[in-house]
Amino acid sequence: MEHKNVSSRSTSQKALRLNLDDKKYGTIVEIGAGQEVARQFFLAGAAAGTIAKTMSAYDMKFSDAIYGVQNDGRYVSKARVKAMMEQELNLVLERVSEGRSKASRYFAYAATVAAKSFNRDNECHAWCGIRIQMYPGAEPSNIKVHVRMHDDNAEAQQQALGVLGVNLIYAAYYYFEDPKMMIDSLTDSIKPGRIEIDSIEFVGPYFEDIDNRAINLHLIRSWKTRAIMFRPDGTIGVPAEMLYKKNVITIRGSFRPVTNLNVDMIEQGKKAFYAQKGISEANTIAIAEISLNDAKGNDNHVPEEDLVQRVQLLNALGYNVMISDYTRYFSLRAYFRQYTKMHIGIVVGMINLKQIFDEESYRGVEGGMLEGFGKLFPDNTRMFIYPELNAEGELREFSDLKVQEHLRFLYRHLLENDFLTGLDTSDINLFKIFSRDILKQLKSGGGDWENSVPKLVAEQIIDNGFFGFKQKRR
């Protein structure tokens, strides 16, 4: 991943600048990866000017006694880091605020970490956060991030988290008016590929105008992660939690807006997916995926507001949503395989199947089409293909696809080994629906577009003025 270095200051220079400012004062608590953030401040010198207390409550009973037991019972969780930040900032304000300058702005940094274990292959991740007063006497605001560590040893992971923690504290004080700059700066002095930030949340009185859905999209565009996930309630999800021990059925689309045709494809795909042995709605997550890149891998720079509107409409229908920068389907499958070993189903239209058999689609892939297919169908992965109408208005299914002569045995191999499954359609008239026509009608205020989208989607578009909607003149 490309690395975006925002600040010219090194980690030690950032820590020293904070240490020398006696108006910034707080606590650093770290569980699970040593005290690397605190160590950075001590190494920089003059840490007494910044740090009121450092602590690591490794024993679970000690930790529970200090921070309580969270509902999910987990120690490396969003709820846990929130409890840590709140408890520690309350103690700072209670114990030292009366004796310090009224111009002081207090903070509590917290991290709860599952670093590389000595004798097992565990998920290496952390929840890190800061609770901070943006100005003297202000009600505090929170910033929380979820981090995945990719170094292969605990020492390197700890070092990376130490730098990240300094970056987060520094950004909260000096970049708080520019959330995108805050995100850009989080990996300063960390080499590319060592950590991934797949979720960030801004909460509190100073961040009331921030849409967390939109700002999380910047994690992709700043190369902090490859994908962001949204739960049906619109909140940001952590992929490792949402996909853990789940079968995955996904469909890619622009969903601008989501139409009755899109919904039929999703539902027909789910129906066929659930028909497989051992797969049910209870052990499956269904995801509508939007790629930021076109078929040639070019970022089309869609405004974040536009993407958020699409997410909101899909969420209104109860779907999980993922936005990624993946172009090829085999990369999408590999992303899911990081988090689950269970079945993966990908719903596509006939046009997508044609692209998969287009050798031009594999330009830049060393092994060409064979490498692409090898990565797409290695284990428990199946494609579900929705039919199309041909020029004569007849239904055309995936088994009717004509491929180039030298690819016919590859196509036959996929058919005979059940890597491809055909889907039905509930209504042949759905093929008359085109998103581009709906968008034109929305902007002109005319047409019968409401009949082409689910009722909930139409209501949201009208109520919120999505996609340049103009009310019909009476």
Side-chain angles (χ1 to χ4, degrees):
M1 290 186 181
E2 179 184 338
H3 181 59
K4 200 168 185 180
N5 190 9
V6 176
S7 175
S8 59
R9 294 176 187 268
S10 67
T11 305
S12 61
Q13 288 171 333
K14 286 184 177 183
L16 182 60
R17 183 181 182 188
L18 287 163
N19 284 346
L20 294 177
D21 187 339
D22 62 2
K23 304 298 189 297
K24 298 172 176 61
Y25 198 66
T27 291
I28 298 175
V29 291
E30 304 167 78
I31 299 176
Q35 290 192 291
E36 286 296 310
V37 178
R39 188 173 74 88
Q40 295 288 346
F41 283 97
F42 287 124
L43 285 173
T50 298
I51 299 176
K53 178 184 75 175
T54 68
M55 186 174 69
S56 290
Y58 272 74
D59 185 88
M60 291 181 181
K61 290 185 178 180
F62 270 91
S63 186
D64 288 344
I66 298 168
Y67 303 118
V69 179
Q70 276 62 60
N71 291 334
D72 58 12
R74 301 175 68 186
Y75 289 88
V76 183
S77 69
K78 186 177 181 179
R80 191 61 161 193
V81 81
K82 179 174 181 286
M84 292 167 68
M85 293 189 302
E86 290 178 348
Q87 169 80 352
E88 293 302 330
L89 186 63
N90 287 342
L91 288 175
V92 170
L93 294 174
E94 176 186 319
R95 293 176 179 176
V96 304
S97 61
E98 288 300 319
R100 293 184 62 85
S101 167
K102 297 299 182 184
S104 297
R105 296 157 58 195
Y106 298 99
F107 75 92
Y109 173 86
T112 175
V113 183
K116 182 73 174 176
S117 293
F118 179 72
N119 57 357
R120 64 189 179 96
D121 185 22
N122 60 299
E123 167 73 6
C124 301
H125 69 119
W127 278 100
C128 309
I130 183 168
R131 185 166 173 82
I132 185 172
Q133 291 180 321
M134 292 304 182
Y135 54 86
E139 284 297 311
S141 297
N142 293 348
I143 306 168
K144 296 186 284 289
V145 299
H146 182 258
V147 183
R148 297 182 70 217
M149 294 95 74
H150 297 305
D151 287 314
D152 60 5
N153 64 88
E155 183 180 0
Q157 292 177 359
Q158 291 167 7
Q159 189 274 336
L161 287 177
V163 176
L164 172 79
V166 175
N167 289 338
L168 179 56
I169 297 170
Y170 189 90
Y173 272 119
Y174 296 108
Y175 302 148
F176 62 89
E177 293 181 331
D178 188 344
K180 288 185 177 180
M181 183 179 286
M182 292 181 69
I183 289 172
D184 292 341
S185 74
L186 291 179
T187 50
D188 283 355
S189 302
I190 302 174
K191 289 183 178 180
R194 295 188 63 192
I195 66 170
E196 175 184 353
I197 302 170
D198 58 16
S199 171
I200 189 166
E201 181 183 69
F202 295 86
V203 176
Y206 199 85
F207 299 129
E208 287 177 346
D209 294 333
I210 292 179
D211 186 331
N212 278 302
R213 297 170 301 182
I215 202 64
N216 269 265
L217 296 176
H218 191 64
L219 291 173
I220 303 175
R221 286 179 164 155
S222 63
W223 291 88
K224 300 295 181 283
T225 190
R226 301 295 301 273
I228 295 295
M229 296 187 69
F230 303 83
R231 298 187 186 89
D233 64 2
T235 57
I236 309 301
V238 174
E241 296 175 0
M242 294 180 68
L243 299 170
Y244 180 66
K245 289 188 176 180
K246 290 283 189 180
N247 299 298
V248 179
I249 180 76
T250 186
I251 177 173
R252 169 173 288 179
S254 65
F255 304 111
R256 192 175 189 263
V258 55
T259 67
N260 290 332
L261 176 62
N262 297 140
V263 171
D264 194 52
M265 288 181 70
I266 297 171
E267 295 305 317
Q268 295 291 345
K270 287 165 63 177
K271 180 180 176 182
F273 193 60
Y274 298 155
Q276 297 179 91
K277 185 178 180 181
I279 298 178
S280 67
E281 188 169 4
N283 63 17
T284 299
I285 180 170
I287 302 170
E289 187 252 355
I290 301 169
S291 176
L292 293 179
N293 286 329
D294 61 23
K296 296 181 180 178
N298 301 313
D299 189 326
N300 55 17
H301 298 292
V302 177
E304 286 152 3
E305 181 183 7
D306 183 288
L307 291 164
V308 169
Q309 290 175 8
R310 296 188 234 175
V311 171
Q312 186 169 324
L313 294 178
L314 287 161
N315 285 160
L317 298 177
Y319 296 124
N320 299 284
V321 184
M322 182 171 112
I323 295 181
S324 80
D325 70 349
Y326 292 117
T327 302
R328 299 182 176 98
Y329 282 106
F330 65 76
S331 298
L332 181 63
R333 187 215 67 88
Y335 176 81
F336 291 134
R337 189 55 80 215
Q338 293 179 91
Y339 303 105
T340 179
K341 296 179 180 179
M342 299 179 73
H343 290 268
I344 296 172
I346 303 173
V347 180
V348 298
M350 287 288 285
I351 189 171
N352 306 114
L353 187 61
K354 293 171 189 174
Q355 289 172 350
I356 291 167
F357 277 91
D358 180 3
E359 290 176 288
E360 284 296 308
S361 299
Y362 299 90
R363 187 173 297 224
V365 179
E366 185 177 0
M369 182 178 284
L370 284 179
E371 180 181 338
F373 276 96
K375 290 180 176 179
L376 182 56
F377 299 109
D379 58 341
N380 294 332
T381 302
R382 182 181 293 190
M383 277 197 150
F384 296 86
I385 299 96
Y386 196 76
E388 67 177 3
L389 285 187
N390 62 18
E392 290 73 37
E394 300 169 334
L395 206 61
R396 189 164 176 256
E397 298 183 345
F398 77 103
S399 55
D400 301 322
L401 180 68
K402 303 298 182 187
V403 300
Q404 295 183 57
E405 184 67 18
H406 66 284
L407 298 176
R408 61 191 177 90
F409 288 109
L410 176 59
Y411 184 45
R412 202 165 110 189
H413 166 74
L414 297 177
L415 290 175
E416 293 181 358
N417 288 277
D418 293 326
F419 289 118
L420 306 178
T421 298
L423 298 177
D424 297 322
T425 179
S426 64
D427 184 356
I428 199 169
N429 290 314
L430 293 173
F431 293 103
K432 299 176 183 178
I433 298 174
F434 298 98
S435 293
R436 62 179 179 272
D437 295 336
I438 295 173
L439 288 173
K440 289 178 182 177
Q441 293 174 27
L442 289 175
K443 292 175 181 177
S444 68
D448 59 351
W449 65 271
E450 291 173 63
N451 296 322
S452 299
V453 302
K455 183 179 178 181
L456 278 173
V457 170
E459 290 173 353
Q460 290 262 354
I461 290 173
I462 293 169
D463 291 345
N464 298 292
F466 286 168
F467 308 118
F469 169 73
K470 290 185 178 179
Q471 189 71 46
K472 293 178 183 178
R473 293 179 182 177
R474 300 185 181 277

